[in-house]
Amino acid sequence: MDDDTVGVALVILSAIGFGTLGIFGVIAAEEGLSIPTVLALRFGLAAIVVWIVLWLRGRFRLLTGRLLAIAFALGAFGYATQSGLYFLGLEFMTAGMVAIVLYTYPAFVVCIVAIFHPSRVTTVLLVALGLSIGGVALITGADPAGADPRGVAVVLGAALAYSLYIVVSQRALTTVDAELLTAFVLPAAAVSFVVFGAGTGSLALPGSLTAWGVTLAIAILATVIPVLAFFAGIAKIGASRASIISTAEPGVTVALGALVLGEPVTAVTIVGGVLVVTGVILIQREGA
């Protein structure tokens, strides 16, 4: 099997893995697990596995100084905020709807670029921005099945947080590779949820085998495997193609939500999702 085929398969595997996150998140809530508990264990366990994998590959090294501070800030504030709001959104909307709305984050990146580098904003990017916004407006306005206005606001906040995370991390990635940066972002996010959970009295270990099972699934199947598979895919087919292929992720969540959780999927939802994903693909092709 040639590198191109392997790379595409790895990115598809990554999209499927990330696409399960919302499904497992809903099941975790049904098991009575709090958001701080789920995410503290998710990032803590994922960090341990990623550190071990990088160590075995001979690619691990300790970050120090400014890079360590940036990685901590990205994890404790950026990634933690995005993840917390994502899981909060699952309390108001279906997993499929949350995945679609979250995927507007590239549109937020375009807005940030427009503020600081207006010369880089092209007609194609503006069209893509319109498609993403139009897609969300369609699925939350014309067909509100599974779409709660509070949930939409929360998940749009998650998309904004993720876009800021991406923009800031780009600076760090000029001096450190993405895998290593992620290895330090994960434990920082875990610490953030441990502190928040302890402070609010909402932190508790899973109390059943099912609860532990879904927690491990979130950490391994929906975090470690897709993260490592995506980076491995990038190494073989490049970041641009990998980003475009990864737009399958919300489709995976919508399909799994319908099959596993019995979530409603209407024609309007599909059309709105297609508009959002089309906008993302245009943004990725422009290299914004």
Side-chain angles (χ1 to χ4, degrees):
M1 191 177 295
D2 60 271
D3 280 356
D4 191 75
T5 302
V6 172
V8 170
L10 285 168
V11 177
I12 292 175
L13 173 63
S14 173
I16 293 173
F18 281 129
T20 66
L21 181 60
I23 310 304
F24 289 133
V26 171
I27 297 173
E30 292 175 348
E31 287 296 314
L33 294 170
S34 70
I35 292 175
T37 293
V38 171
L39 293 179
L41 289 172
R42 175 199 183 191
F43 292 123
L45 293 172
I48 292 171
V49 176
V50 170
W51 279 43
I52 291 172
V53 170
L54 292 182
W55 181 273
L56 292 175
R57 290 179 178 176
R59 300 178 62 178
F60 180 81
R61 67 180 176 87
L62 290 175
L63 296 183
T64 58
R66 179 174 172 274
L67 278 177
L68 180 60
I70 291 174
F72 182 84
L74 285 171
F77 302 105
Y79 207 22
T81 299
Q82 182 268 330
S83 299
L85 292 176
Y86 177 92
F87 273 73
L88 181 60
L90 292 172
E91 297 183 0
F92 297 98
M93 301 195 299
T94 64
M97 193 68 71
V98 168
I100 292 173
V101 176
L102 179 68
Y103 237 69
T104 58
Y105 72 84
F108 283 102
V109 173
V110 171
C111 293
I112 295 171
V113 170
I115 293 172
F116 295 100
H117 304 284
S119 62
R120 293 175 58 186
V121 178
T122 65
T123 301
V124 173
L125 289 179
L126 292 177
V127 170
L129 182 61
L131 288 173
S132 294
I133 294 173
V136 171
L138 181 64
I139 59 178
T140 59
D143 184 15
D148 184 304
R150 293 169 299 174
V152 173
V154 167
V155 181
L156 285 176
L160 175 59
Y162 194 40
S163 67
L164 291 170
Y165 169 85
I166 290 171
V167 170
V168 174
S169 65
Q170 290 303 309
R171 292 183 175 274
L173 291 176
T174 59
T175 54
V176 63
D177 68 80
E179 280 183 312
L180 188 58
L181 181 65
T182 301
F184 285 85
V185 166
L186 292 173
V191 169
S192 181
F193 284 108
V194 168
V195 172
F196 180 80
T200 57
S202 57
L203 199 65
L205 289 175
S208 68
L209 287 177
T210 302
W212 271 112
V214 72
T215 300
L216 289 172
I218 288 173
I220 305 302
L221 299 180
T223 306
V224 173
I225 290 177
V227 164
L228 295 178
F230 186 71
F231 289 140
I234 286 177
K236 293 184 179 297
I237 64 174
S240 180
R241 287 184 64 196
S243 296
I244 292 172
I245 294 170
S246 69
T247 56
E249 180 186 328
V252 170
T253 305
V254 170
L256 289 176
L259 292 172
V260 178
L261 303 175
E263 295 180 347
V265 180
T266 66
V268 174
T269 299
I270 294 173
V271 172
V274 169
L275 289 177
V276 171
V277 172
T278 300
V280 172
I281 292 173
L282 288 176
I283 290 169
Q284 303 291 10
R285 290 182 66 87
E286 284 289 287

